[in-house]
C-alpha cells in the first residue's frame, strides 16, 4: 500500500545484523504471510503460548509514530494547563482563605495555599513541555501525571471524559519509550536515539483510543440516544429528523466503527476523513478544550509506525536538519525481543536457517503483563457499577469512568435548600450554590453529601446551631418530566452514604412516564410563541411548594395523570384536580401542589410572561415607528422621548424613556452580534488570538507573582495591587462579559 498512513502489522520489520537475524540468502523464497498475519499483523501461533505472546508484545517496532504523538500530546497539554486546567483564573478558582465548599474525590484532599497551587501548575506545565521535547522524559512524565491527577482528584465538579483520558495517556506514556525519536534525550544519549520500541507501546495506546470510541458507542445504544432525546437541546438542528439522523445517528455510527475503520488498511482513509470531520465539528460546537485536537493527534497512531520517516522524507533536503529523522532503519534496543536464527548452512548447503526461541527478560514479561491487565481493567471499569453504587445519579456507579459521552442532558427547574436549627427549631432557606462556585453538586449524591457536610460546618458561624440540611432538587433528564432526584424529607447531613451501597435517599427515575415525551412535542406545538410550559411529575405523599412571579400574569396548572390537591396559601383554599382538569393560580403568591393519588402524578404549568410579552410588543411598535421615520412615511412629529429613535446608528444618545433606552440598547447589541457573526476569517482569527493572548498572559503573570512571593515573600499591598491590575489588563476594546451578555440578549429571542 503506497499510503503513508498504513498499519505496522502488515509491514515487514527491518532487523539489524548482530542480533541473531541475518538476511536470508538471495535464492531463498520470501516467506509468505497468512491471511491473519496480513490483516492483523500477527500469526495464530503468536497466541498459542505465554512466551510467544510475550515475544509478540515486545516485537521491535519503529519509534517514529510514537515520538510524534508524544510531541503533540505534550504540546496540547502545555496549552491545556493555561486553558481548561485553569492557570489563567487560578486565584478565582481556589479563593485562598475564603469559606468555600469543595468536592474532592477523596475528602482528605485539599488545595494548597494559592501561591503553592501556582507552583503545582508550574510543575505540571514544565512536565508537559518535557514530554513534548523528550527532555528528561521519565522525570517529565512523573512531574506531569503527579500534579495532573492531584488537580483532577481535587475537584470532581470539573470532571469530564476527556480530562480523564489525558490522565490515562500521561500514565501510559510514563511507562513507554516515547523518547526514542525526535527528542532531546536522544541527542544526549545516542544509545537510545532512533531505537526500536516494543510493540506493546502501540498496543496500549491504540486499544485505549479504540475503547474510548467503542465503549462510547455501546453506551449510545441507550434508548434515549437512539430515539433522539439525549442532545435535542442543540438548536443548530431545528428539524427533528436531521437532529435524529445527523447528531444521534452519526454519533452512534462513528463511535461504534471509528476504531475498526482506523485499524484496517482498506478502511483507514475513510476513517481518517470521518473522524477528522467529526472532531473538527465538535471543536466548533462545544467548549471541550484540547479534546478534539488530542483525538486528531491519536489517529496517526493507527498508521504504519514509520509514517513520519516517509512523510518528512518528502521535504527539501535543506529543511531536514530541523525535522525528525528520515533514516529507514532504527537501531536495536534491549527493550525489545528479537528472533534469533541458528544457521548452520554453508555456501553449498540448501538447508534453511532454523529460528531459535527468543530470550525473554523480566522487563519483557512485565511489559506484557501490564498490557494485558491494563486493557482488561479499561474494559471492566465502565461496567463496574455493581461495585461503586453510592454515586448513583440516575446513572449507575462511577458515571465518570464509563465513557458516557453526552448520553444524558439535564435541565433544572427548581432547587431549594432548607436548613433547620437543631436547637431552636428555626427553619430558613439558603441561596442555592452558597459557599461554592459549582453547579454540579445538584446531580450527584456524593457531592450533595459533601455539600451538606460543608454547610453544616459553615452555618454555625451565622448563629445556626447543629443545622439540619434538606434539598429539594427538580431535574429533567433527556426531556422527561421535571421530578425530584433526592428525597426532600431526608437530612443529608446525617444521612447514610457509602460508595459501595445504593443511595437510599435517591428518588427513582420515573421511566414509566417516558412515553409522555412524544406527547410533550404535540402539546408544545399547539401553543403560541409567547406561552411557556413546564412538565412536572411527583411522588405520592410529597408536594411542590411554588411561587408564581408577578411577571407571570396568566399561570395555570393542568393535570395529565394522577390526582393532585392545589392549596393557595394566602386564600387558604384547596382544590382537588383530576386528569384533564385545570386551575389558574394567582401571581405574586405561593401555592402548594400535593400528590394525593396512589401513583405518581403528572401535571404541567402553562404560563405567559406578561411583562416580557408587553415589552416585546412595545419593541415591535418602536421598530415599526423607526422604520416609518427613516423611509419618510411617518407624517406626525415625534414627541421628545421618542427623538432618540431617529439618531444616527453610530451616534450616542441619552434616552429618557426606559422602554426606548432598552430598545436602543438591544439594537446596538443585535448589531454587534450580527457584525461578529458576519466577520471574515482573518477578523475571527485576530479576535481569537487576542483573547487567547490575554488569557495566557494573565496566567503567566500571576504565576510569576506567586513564584516571587514564595521566593522572597509578599510585597507591600500597594505593589501587589498594581501587579495584579497589570496582569488583569485586557485588550482595549474587550469587555469581560460581552460575549456572555450577547448570548443572554440574543439567545432568548432565538430560542
Amino acid at each position: 500500500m503506497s499510503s503513508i498512513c498504513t498499519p505496522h502489522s502488515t509491514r515487514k520489520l527491518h532487523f539489524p545484523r548482530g542480533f541473531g537475524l541475518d538476511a536470508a540468502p538471495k535464492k531463498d523464497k520470501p516467506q509468505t504471510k497468512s491471511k491473519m498475519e496480513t490483516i492483523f499483523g500477527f500469526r495464530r501461533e503468536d497466541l498459542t503460548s505465554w512466551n510467544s505472546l510475550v515475544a509478540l508484545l515486545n516485537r521491535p517496532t519503529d519509534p517514529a509514530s510514537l515520538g510524534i504523538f508524544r510531541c503533540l500530546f505534550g504540546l496540547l497539554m502545555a496549552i491545556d494547563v493555561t486553558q481548561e486546567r485553569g492557570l489563567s483564573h487560578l486565584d478565582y478558582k481556589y479563593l485562598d482563605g475564603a469559606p468555600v465548599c469543595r468536592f474532592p474525590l477523596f475528602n482528605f484532599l485539599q488545595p494548597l495555599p494559592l501561591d503553592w497551587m501556582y507552583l503545582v501548575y508550574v510543575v505540571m506545565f514544565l512536565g508537559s513541555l518535557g514530554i513534548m521535547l523528550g527532555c528528561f522524559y521519565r522525570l517529565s512524565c512523573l512531574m506531569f501525571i503527579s500534579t495532573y491527577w492531584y488537580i483532577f482528584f481535587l475537584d470532581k465538579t470539573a470532571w469530564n471524559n476527556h480530562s480523564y483520558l489525558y490522565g490515562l495517556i500521561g500514565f501510559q506514556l510514563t511507562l513507554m519509550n516515547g523518547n526514542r525519536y525526535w527528542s532531546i534525550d536522544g541527542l544526549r544519549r545516542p544509545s537510545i536515539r532512533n531505537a526500536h520500541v516494543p510493540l506493546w507501546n502501540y498496543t496500549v495506546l491504540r486499544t485505549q483510543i479504540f475503547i474510548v470510541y467503542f465503549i462510547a458507542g455501546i453506551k449510545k445504544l441507550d434508548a434515549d440516544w437512539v430515539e433522539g432525546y439525549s442532545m435535542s437541546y442543540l438548536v443548530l438542528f431545528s428539524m427533528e429528523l436531521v437532529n435524529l439522523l445527523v447528531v444521534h445517528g452519526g454519533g452512534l455510527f462513528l463511535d461504534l466503527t471509528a476504531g475498526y475503520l482506523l485499524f484496517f488498511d482498506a478502511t483507514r482513509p475513510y476513517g481518517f476523513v470521518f473522524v477528522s470531520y467529526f472532531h473538527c465539528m465538535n471543536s466548533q460546537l462545544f467548549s471541550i478544550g484540547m479534546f478534539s485536537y488530542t483525538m486528531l493527534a491519536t489517529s496517526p497512531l493507527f498508521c504504519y509506525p514509520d509514517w513520519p520517516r516517509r512523510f518528512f522524507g518528502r521535504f527539501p533536503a535543506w529543511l531536514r536538519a530541523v525535522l525528525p529523522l528520515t533514516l529507514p532503519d532504527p537501531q536495536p534496543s534491549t527493550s525489545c525481543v528479537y528472533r534469533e536464527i541458528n544457521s548452520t548452512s554453508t555456501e553449498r548447503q540448501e538447508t534453511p536457517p532454523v529460528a531459535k526461541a527468543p530470550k525473554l527478560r523480566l522487563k519483557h514479561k512485565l511489559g506484557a503483563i501490564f498490557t494485558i491487565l491494563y486493557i482488561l481493567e479499561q474494559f471492566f471499569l465502565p461496567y463496574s457499577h455493581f461495585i461503586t453504587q453510592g454515586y448513583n445519579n440516575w446513572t449507575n456507579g462511577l458515571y465518570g469512568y464509563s465513557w458516557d459521552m453526552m448520553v444524558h442532558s439535564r435541565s433544572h427547574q427548581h432547587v431549594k435548600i432548607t436548613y433547620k436549627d437543631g436547637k431552636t427549631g428555626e427553619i430558613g432557606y439558603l441561596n442555592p450554590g452558597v459557599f461554592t462556585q459549582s453547579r454540579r453538586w445538584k446531580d450527584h449524591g456524593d457531592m450533595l453529601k459533601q455539600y451538606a457536610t460543608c454547610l453544616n460546618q459553615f452555618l454555625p458561624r451565622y448563629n445556626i446551631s447543629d443545622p439540619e440540611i434538606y434539598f429539594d432538587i427538580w431535574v429533567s433528564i433527556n426531556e422527561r418530566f421535571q421530578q425530584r432526584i433526592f428525597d426532600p424529607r431526608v437530612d443529608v447531613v446525617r444521612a447514610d452514604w457509602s460508595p459501595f451501597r445504593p443511595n437510599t435517599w435517591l428518588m427513582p427515575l420515573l421511566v414509566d412516564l417516558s412515553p409522555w415525551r412524544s406527547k410533550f412535542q404535540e402539546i408544545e406545538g399547539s401553543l403560541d410563541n409567547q406561552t411557556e410550559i413546564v412538565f412536572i411529575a411527583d411522588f405520592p405523599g410529597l408536594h411542590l411548594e411554588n411561587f408564581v412571579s408577578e411577571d407571570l400574569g396568566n399561570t395555570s396548572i393542568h393535570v395529565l395523570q394522577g390526582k393532585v390537591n392545589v392549596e393557595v396559601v394566602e386564600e387558604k383554599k384547596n382544590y382537588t384536580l383530576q386528569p384533564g382538569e385545570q386551575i389558574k393560580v394567582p401571581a405574586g403568591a405561593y401555592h402548594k401542589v400535593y400528590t394525593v393519588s396512589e401513583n405518581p402524578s403528572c401535571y404541567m404549568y402553562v404560563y405567559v410572561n406578561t411583562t416580557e410579552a408587553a415589552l416585546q410588543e412595545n419593541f415591535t411598535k418602536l421598530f415599526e415607528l423607526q422604520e416609518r421615520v427613516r423611509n419618510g412615511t411617518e407624517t406626525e412629529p415625534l414627541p421628545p422621548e421618542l427623538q432618540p429613535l431617529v439618531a444616527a446608528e453610530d451616534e450616542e444618545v441619552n434616552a429618557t424613556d426606559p422602554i426606548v433606552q432598552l430598545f436602543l440598547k438591544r439594537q446596538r447589541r443585535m448589531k454587534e452580534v450580527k457584525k461578529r457573526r458576519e466577520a471574515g476569517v482573518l477578523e475571527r482569527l485576530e479576535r481569537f488570538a487576542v483573547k487567547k493572548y490575554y488569557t495566557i498572559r494573565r496566567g503567566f503573570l500571576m504565576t510569576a507573582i506567586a513564584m516571587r512571593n514564595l521566593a522572597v515573600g509578599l510585597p507591600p499591598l500597594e505593589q501587589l495591587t498594581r501587579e495584579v491590575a497589570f496582569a488583569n489588563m485586557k485588550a482595549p476594546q474587550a469587555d469581560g462579559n460581552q460575549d456572555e451578555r450577547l448570548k443572554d440578549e440574543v439567545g432568548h429571542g432565538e430560542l
Side-chain angles (χ1 to χ4, degrees):
M1 187 173 181
S2 60
S3 171
I4 289 179
C5 291
T6 44
H8 77 284
S9 56
T10 59
R11 185 173 178 83
K12 182 178 179 181
L13 290 172
H14 299 277
F15 298 96
R17 295 178 182 270
F19 271 75
L21 181 63
D22 294 335
K26 291 183 180 181
K27 54 187 174 182
D28 288 348
K29 295 183 179 180
Q31 185 177 3
T32 59
K33 293 183 178 180
S34 66
K35 186 175 182 180
M36 181 176 179
E37 187 176 7
T38 302
I39 296 176
F40 296 103
F42 57 86
R43 301 167 300 171
R44 184 177 291 103
E45 292 78 6
D46 293 329
L47 307 178
T48 55
S49 68
W50 169 246
N51 286 345
S52 60
L53 179 60
V54 173
L56 171 65
L57 291 175
N58 288 274
R59 186 172 67 185
T61 312
D62 198 304
S65 184
L66 180 63
I68 296 299
F69 173 73
R70 179 217 76 230
C71 183
L72 293 176
F73 179 76
L75 172 63
L76 293 171
M77 291 303 99
I79 298 173
D80 181 76
V81 168
T82 65
Q83 304 291 310
E84 196 167 356
R85 293 319 110 200
L87 178 63
S88 61
H89 57 276
L90 207 60
D91 49 333
Y92 298 110
K93 182 175 182 179
Y94 290 104
L95 296 174
D96 201 15
V100 178
C101 294
R102 305 191 185 279
F103 305 90
L105 182 63
F106 306 105
N107 288 329
F108 64 83
L109 283 176
Q110 293 297 324
L112 301 173
L114 183 60
D115 288 341
W116 287 98
M117 287 303 299
Y118 273 105
L119 179 60
V120 169
Y121 274 70
V122 167
V123 173
M124 181 166 56
F125 180 76
L126 293 178
S128 60
L129 285 182
I131 293 174
M132 179 185 73
L133 299 174
C135 182
F136 297 103
Y137 173 70
R138 207 75 67 185
L139 174 62
S140 296
C141 288
L142 291 173
M143 290 169 58
F144 175 75
I145 66 167
S146 60
T147 51
Y148 185 93
W149 283 105
Y150 167 66
I151 293 170
F152 182 82
F153 289 146
L154 198 59
D155 185 10
K156 287 183 290 189
T157 66
W159 187 95
N160 50 44
N161 279 283
H162 53 267
S163 296
Y164 172 49
L165 177 64
Y166 300 160
L168 293 178
I169 293 178
F171 168 69
Q172 295 166 21
L173 289 177
T174 305
L175 304 178
M176 295 177 182
N177 299 319
N179 60 341
R180 299 299 193 258
Y181 185 79
W182 206 30
S183 67
I184 292 179
D185 285 350
L187 298 177
R188 294 172 46 246
R189 299 169 56 192
S191 61
I192 68 169
R193 187 186 186 193
N194 196 32
H196 281 127
V197 298
L199 177 61
W200 69 262
N201 285 197
Y202 286 96
T203 302
V204 171
L205 283 170
R206 289 169 175 168
T207 307
Q208 180 69 76
I209 302 307
F210 173 84
I211 288 174
V212 172
Y213 283 123
F214 187 71
I215 298 296
I218 295 295
K219 299 289 184 175
K220 286 181 174 62
L221 292 175
D222 179 81
D224 284 359
W225 183 278
V226 174
E227 294 174 10
Y229 292 108
S230 295
M231 297 181 66
S232 58
Y233 60 88
L234 277 181
V235 297
L236 177 66
F237 302 101
S238 58
M239 296 175 58
E240 295 179 10
L241 182 60
V242 173
N243 172 50
L244 179 63
L245 295 179
V246 176
V247 179
H248 292 84
L252 174 62
F253 178 78
L254 179 128
D255 284 336
L256 286 175
T257 62
Y260 297 102
L261 293 175
L262 291 172
F263 183 82
F264 296 106
D265 286 4
T267 58
R268 187 172 302 108
Y270 306 103
F272 262 87
V273 173
F274 196 13
V275 167
S276 299
Y277 176 79
F278 176 77
H279 290 302
C280 289
M281 181 182 68
N282 282 347
S283 69
Q284 300 301 311
L285 286 178
F286 308 106
S287 298
I288 50 178
M290 296 294 107
F291 178 61
S292 299
Y293 310 106
T294 303
M295 293 304 290
L296 288 173
T298 64
S299 297
L301 286 172
F302 292 87
C303 300
Y304 286 151
D306 66 345
W307 71 264
R309 302 181 190 277
R310 287 174 286 145
F311 176 76
F312 291 109
R314 298 178 180 179
F315 282 74
W318 59 274
L319 279 177
R320 295 181 187 174
V322 295
L323 293 177
L325 289 174
T326 58
L327 299 177
D329 294 329
Q331 65 171 322
S333 168
T334 57
S335 300
C336 304
V337 173
Y338 296 85
R339 295 168 56 191
E340 297 183 0
I341 301 297
N342 184 17
S343 177
T344 58
S345 60
T346 62
E347 293 182 358
R348 297 181 180 179
Q349 288 178 325
E350 299 296 331
T351 305
V354 179
K356 295 173 59 179
K359 294 180 180 179
L360 303 180
R361 300 181 181 180
L362 177 61
K363 62 180 177 180
H364 301 144
K365 297 178 181 179
L366 291 178
I369 292 173
F370 166 75
T371 302
I372 295 171
L373 292 181
Y374 182 84
I375 291 174
L376 291 176
E377 176 266 342
Q378 282 296 301
F379 274 108
F380 167 76
L381 197 56
Y383 299 97
S384 62
H385 308 147
F386 63 93
I387 297 177
T388 54
Q389 303 178 57
Y391 292 90
N392 287 356
N393 55 357
W394 292 340
T395 56
N396 294 323
L398 282 172
Y399 165 79
Y401 305 89
S402 301
W403 306 114
D404 293 58
M405 298 186 184
M406 300 183 179
V407 176
H408 302 100
S409 62
R410 292 176 175 81
S411 64
H412 298 82
Q413 186 67 29
H414 181 74
V415 179
K416 182 174 71 173
I417 306 177
T418 306
Y419 70 83
K420 181 180 179 181
D421 192 302
K423 292 185 178 180
T424 66
E426 176 189 358
I427 294 178
Y429 303 95
L430 298 176
N431 181 28
V434 64
F435 297 123
T436 182
Q437 300 172 313
S438 172
R439 299 178 180 179
R440 296 181 72 172
W441 55 267
K442 298 189 294 289
D443 295 317
H444 301 265
D446 59 316
M447 295 188 197
L448 202 72
K449 178 66 177 180
Q450 290 175 306
Y451 190 35
T453 303
C454 178
L455 292 176
N456 182 61
Q457 296 171 353
F458 285 154
L459 289 182
R461 304 181 185 181
Y462 302 89
N463 299 321
I464 302 172
S465 303
D466 197 18
E468 302 172 7
I469 308 294
Y470 302 88
F471 294 91
D472 194 11
I473 302 172
W474 293 72
V475 185
S476 169
I477 182 171
N478 293 347
E479 305 297 317
R480 288 180 173 84
F481 281 100
Q482 289 279 341
Q483 68 154 94
R484 288 183 167 95
I485 183 171
F486 303 109
D487 193 332
R489 299 165 294 190
V490 174
D491 173 18
V492 180
V493 175
R494 292 159 184 82
D496 291 332
W497 181 88
S498 169
F500 307 111
R501 294 195 304 269
N503 189 339
T504 57
W505 34 277
L506 173 75
M507 305 298 285
L509 178 63
L510 297 173
V511 292
D512 293 341
L513 302 177
S514 298
W516 275 95
R517 289 181 292 187
S518 59
K519 299 180 181 179
F520 293 169
Q521 299 173 357
E522 298 176 7
I523 296 173
E524 291 172 340
S526 64
L527 303 175
D528 57 51
N529 293 332
Q530 295 182 343
T531 303
E532 304 284 345
I533 192 167
V534 178
F535 298 97
I536 304 291
D538 203 3
F539 296 90
L542 297 179
H543 71 275
L544 168 65
E545 182 179 13
N546 203 0
F547 178 82
V548 178
S549 171
E550 295 180 353
D551 293 331
L552 309 181
N554 186 19
T555 301
S556 59
I557 299 175
H558 301 243
V559 179
L560 302 173
Q561 178 178 307
K563 184 179 179 181
V564 302
N565 185 285
V566 180
E567 176 189 356
V568 180
V569 178
E570 291 186 358
E571 299 178 2
K572 297 182 179 180
K573 294 182 179 180
N574 291 276
Y575 305 89
T576 301
L577 302 179
Q578 302 283 352
E581 297 180 344
Q582 64 183 49
I583 184 175
K584 186 174 181 180
V585 290
Y590 279 95
H591 67 271
K592 299 179 181 179
V593 184
Y594 296 85
T595 297
V596 295
S597 56
E598 295 182 356
N599 298 318
S601 65
C602 307
Y603 51 94
M604 61 183 180
Y605 280 92
V606 181
Y607 60 94
V608 176
N609 190 326
T610 52
T611 302
E612 179 69 20
L615 184 63
Q616 291 296 333
E617 183 179 356
N618 287 328
F619 281 177
T620 301
K621 292 180 179 178
L622 290 175
F623 179 76
E624 293 174 351
L625 176 61
Q626 188 182 56
E627 289 297 307
R628 291 198 302 270
V629 171
R630 289 177 175 175
N631 59 31
T633 59
E634 178 62 33
T635 58
E636 297 293 331
L638 295 181
E641 63 270 15
L642 298 181
Q643 288 294 331
L645 294 175
V646 299
E649 293 185 358
D650 56 348
E651 181 181 349
E652 289 289 337
V653 294
N654 293 321
T656 57
D657 187 283
I659 303 298
V660 175
Q661 188 177 19
L662 284 174
F663 173 74
L664 294 176
K665 184 178 180 181
R666 188 175 189 271
Q667 278 196 320
R668 287 194 296 270
R669 290 185 179 178
M670 294 288 288
K671 180 182 177 182
E672 178 64 20
V673 169
K674 182 179 180 182
K675 179 181 177 182
R676 292 169 69 89
R677 288 179 175 174
E678 296 177 352
V681 175
L682 292 179
E683 185 178 347
R684 288 172 180 264
L685 288 175
E686 179 184 6
R687 192 165 61 224
F688 174 81
V690 169
K691 180 181 178 181
K692 292 301 179 184
Y693 165 75
Y694 281 96
T695 298
I696 296 173
R697 173 185 179 274
R698 186 183 193 278
F700 282 111
L701 287 177
M702 293 297 292
T703 301
I705 294 172
M707 295 302 98
R708 188 275 318 279
N709 294 344
L710 290 176
V712 300
L714 286 170
L717 182 60
E718 295 79 4
Q719 178 183 344
L720 187 61
T721 303
R722 290 195 304 269
E723 292 172 347
V724 174
F726 180 71
N728 289 335
M729 185 177 66
K730 294 182 173 65
Q733 73 278 13
D735 185 346
N737 297 321
Q738 183 178 14
D739 292 341
E740 287 74 13
R741 291 191 290 106
L742 290 174
K743 291 178 182 177
D744 292 339
E745 181 70 24
V746 182
H748 293 298
E750 292 177 343
L751 289 173

